[in-house]
Amino acid sequence: MSGIVGAVEERRVIKININGREYEFEIGVDIQPGTTLFELLRSRVGLRSVRDACLGDGSCGACTVLVDGDPVLSCMMLAADCHNRKVETVEGIAREGHPLIDAFAKNYAYQCGYEAPAFIVTAKALLDKNPNPSEEEIVEALSGIISRAGVYPAVISAVEDAAEALRKRGVS
Amino acid sequence: MSGVRALRSFKLVNAGSVDEAARILAEGNAWPLAGGTDIIHLLRFRVLPDGMYPDVLVNLKTISPSLEYINYQDGVLRIGALTKLSAISRDAAVKERFAALAAAAGSVGSPQIRNVATVGGDIAQFPRGWYFRKPDNRFHCLRKGGDTCYARTGDNRYHSIFGEINGCVAVNMSDVAPALVALDAEIVTNKRTIRAEDFWDVRVPRSTVLEQDEVMLEIRIPAPPRGARSSFEKFAVRKAIDFPIVNGAALIGDGLARIVLNAVYPVPYRARKAEEILRGRTDAINEELAEEAADAAVSGAVPLAYNGWKVQVARSIVKRLILPGTRR
Ligand SMILES: Cc1cc2nc3c(=O)[nH]c(=O)nc-3n(C[C@H](O)[C@H](O)[C@H](O)COP(=O)(O)OP(=O)(O)OC[C@H]3O[C@@H](n4cnc5c(N)ncnc54)[C@H](O)[C@@H]3O)c2cc1C
Ligand code: FES
């Protein structure tokens, strides 16, 4: 066992780009090996759009964020696994002035809004890869997020509106 | 405040090579770490008894050369054990020639889970039975070194319909597993090559035959014969974020039939009697033959008190695998 302990007690610095800003966390000092991305974003960085509705069971999707452009569950990911990667939350997407934010508001794509950040980041990842998704593709992309209020139809309209706004922007 | 519990603590080692990973695993109470989605669940909810948790997690994602790849060449598909399920479900060669695997990988959990979960982790996942998974080791069941399988007398609506193994009636919930058995895959480790059929077991607390210092490296699958078609079917309450109630995969055609059900037995279940009925008759498949094979597939069923309904579900899955497009 001594060999293992020697190897792991070596401190390691995790560098993560969060919403365009570079952060460094030292394992054993700022975070633990078992700190999840969820805890890191909420408690260390203060990004309160990252939420849970299933106590971290992996089954609600409310904690979704983008890692290197792909939607992942921050509750099911170790912060240490995000070393040298790019993390985006809805705060960053809003700051960019992404049309999804307006489109969600105009379509009333939420009741309480608890899972709206998860829908928005996931839709952003979809639109980055597929600027003109079909309804079926939108439903599939967003299928990992549960809305207790059942706002799904409004969410689909919002994503379609944002896609159109992005295409118009691209043209002008 | 958020109610998400912190994980039980552990030490994390980034392995640089397979040999290094194996060496650390052999030294003590250490587990391989792939995507981490199953391990995080166990550590967060304190599913296991004290003494059964790892002191160390050995991160396999830092191994070089990387174990994340898909490569189809000379009639053999090779998938690195750390390949994400999302990549497998989208790969053109997998979709074209190994349709059952693409569909199975694409049906796991949700897009977010598939972006992180690996194929090796899916087939090695720990039991999912609700007694096993109840937080804080509420039910110290057989699979955790206890002396009772609570599901035998308790609520067993989702449990085995083909009996027990080593006293346990919790089912194997992997979606990928039946596809690998149907396609006659091999799992290559740092120690040996294991046929998919022989890969699962009922142990404390694991579900595979892997040894303490054994690392899966690659899944290898021969291309099916030209005339054969592979398919996957899954029955779950919801389309997304839901484990199978019953799933199944088949490779049928060219006189050949391999039909495998999962979530019906503690390890993937080969429906051999159904295979026998179809063998040599795959050119003559019709409704009648499919019915006969589906009946045969569940003829050995010994349902528990609350899961007789699953026999019907399993029968329908087999029929759908044989006759694509059937709704019963
Ligand atoms: C909400 C939710 C829904 C889910 N739904 C489904 C579903 O519908 N169908 C389904 O099949 N699964 C489902 N799962 C389970 C999921 O597929 C697994 O958690 C995942 O595949 C595990 O992969 P991982 O890479 O994250 O594994 P990890 O958590 O890293 O590892 C899991 C186990 O495999 C071992 N392991 C991993 N890689 C190797 C290797 N290369 N060599 C040796 N040992 C290894 C680990 O030591 C550990 O014991 C679901 C999970 C969640 C949280
Ligand atoms: S908190 Fe529910 S999926 Fe992460």
Side-chain angles (χ1 to χ4, degrees), chain A residues 57-60 73 76, chain B residues 25 31-42 60 67 81-82 85 104 107-110 113 116-126 128 173-177 206 210 214-217 234 241-244 247:
Chain A
D57 180 53
S59 55
C60 75
L73 301 177
M76 290 261 143
Chain B
L25 289 168
W31 292 3
L33 172 72
T37 60
D38 196 28
I39 292 177
I40 286 175
H41 197 271
L42 300 174
L60 306 179
L67 296 176
L82 291 187
L85 296 173
S107 82
V108 171
S110 67
I113 289 172
V116 175
T118 66
V119 64
D122 186 86
I123 63 176
Q125 59 182 280
F126 281 77
R128 269 276 165 186
M173 290 267 194
S174 166
D175 279 314
V176 174
R206 287 163 195 269
L210 292 173
E214 192 162 17
V215 179
M216 283 180 266
L217 307 178
K234 172 172 176 174
I241 337 180
D242 216 355
F243 281 90
N247 66 10

Side-chain angles (χ1 to χ4, degrees), chain A residues 8 12 56-57 64 71 75 140, chain B residues 12-14 41 44 112 115:
Chain A
V8 286
R12 203 158 59 88
D57 180 53
T64 303
C75 76
E140 163 58 25
Chain B
L12 183 64
V13 189
N14 289 325
H41 197 271
R44 171 169 292 134
Q112 291 95 316
N115 281 337

Side-chain angles (χ1 to χ4, degrees), chain B residues 57-298:
Chain B
L57 292 183
V58 182
N59 185 9
L60 306 179
K61 297 186 293 299
T62 43
I63 288 177
S64 163
S66 156
L67 296 176
E68 186 174 357
Y69 56 84
I70 302 176
N71 166 353
Y72 179 64
Q73 229 182 337
D74 303 328
V76 181
L77 178 70
R78 291 162 201 267
I79 301 182
L82 291 187
T83 307
K84 297 190 178 91
L85 296 173
S86 55
I88 295 171
S89 71
R90 282 190 214 120
D91 185 87
V94 179
K95 284 206 284 202
E96 193 192 321
R97 291 170 197 275
F98 306 87
L101 176 59
S107 82
V108 171
S110 67
Q112 291 95 316
I113 289 172
R114 298 193 292 272
N115 281 337
V116 175
T118 66
V119 64
D122 186 86
I123 63 176
Q125 59 182 280
F126 281 77
R128 269 276 165 186
W130 48 30
Y131 294 104
F132 183 91
R133 288 274 170 166
K134 191 80 181 165
D136 301 304
N137 188 29
R138 178 75 190 285
F139 297 95
H140 186 64
C141 74
L142 274 183
R143 300 296 288 274
K144 307 190 206 184
D147 54 15
T148 312
C149 177
Y150 292 91
R152 298 178 73 109
T153 47
D155 189 334
N156 48 35
R157 72 183 87 170
Y158 297 130
H159 291 74
S160 173
I161 54 171
F162 289 109
E164 50 146 272
I165 299 183
N166 299 341
C168 172
V169 294
V171 296
N172 183 303
M173 290 267 194
S174 166
D175 279 314
V176 174
L180 294 188
V181 179
L183 289 163
D184 205 6
E186 288 175 337
I187 293 131
V188 182
T189 75
N190 57 334
K191 301 191 155 189
R192 55 186 162 156
T193 297
I194 308 168
R195 276 188 82 182
E197 286 218 56
D198 305 323
F199 182 71
W200 290 276
D201 197 0
V202 171
R203 295 168 67 178
V204 179
R206 287 163 195 269
S207 322
T208 74
V209 298
L210 292 173
E211 293 165 19
Q212 168 62 26
D213 56 345
E214 192 162 17
V215 179
M216 283 180 266
L217 307 178
E218 186 174 274
I219 315 275
R220 227 172 260 174
I221 315 180
R226 280 267 161 221
R229 161 187 72 76
S230 78
S231 59
F232 173 80
E233 293 280 346
K234 172 172 176 174
F235 178 76
V237 174
R238 297 182 309 206
K239 247 187 174 168
I241 337 180
D242 216 355
F243 281 90
I245 282 174
V246 179
N247 66 10
L251 178 64
I252 296 175
D254 211 20
L256 171 103
R258 290 174 70 90
I259 301 176
V260 185
L261 291 166
N262 206 13
V264 293
Y265 190 53
V267 300
Y269 181 86
R270 228 175 125 183
R272 288 185 192 273
K273 287 186 189 142
E275 293 178 359
E276 271 156 35
I277 286 171
L278 297 182
R279 196 160 300 137
R281 291 160 83 185
T282 56
D283 288 341
I285 285 176
N286 57 20
E287 177 89 16
E288 212 184 327
L289 195 58
E291 291 273 348
E292 194 189 329
D295 283 336
V298 295

Side-chain angles (χ1 to χ4, degrees), chain A residues 38 51-64 73-76, chain B residues 4:
Chain A
F38 177 87
R51 294 163 182 173
D52 90 90
C54 68
L55 302 179
D57 180 53
S59 55
C60 75
C63 67
T64 303
L73 301 177
S74 60
C75 76
M76 290 261 143
Chain B
V4 178

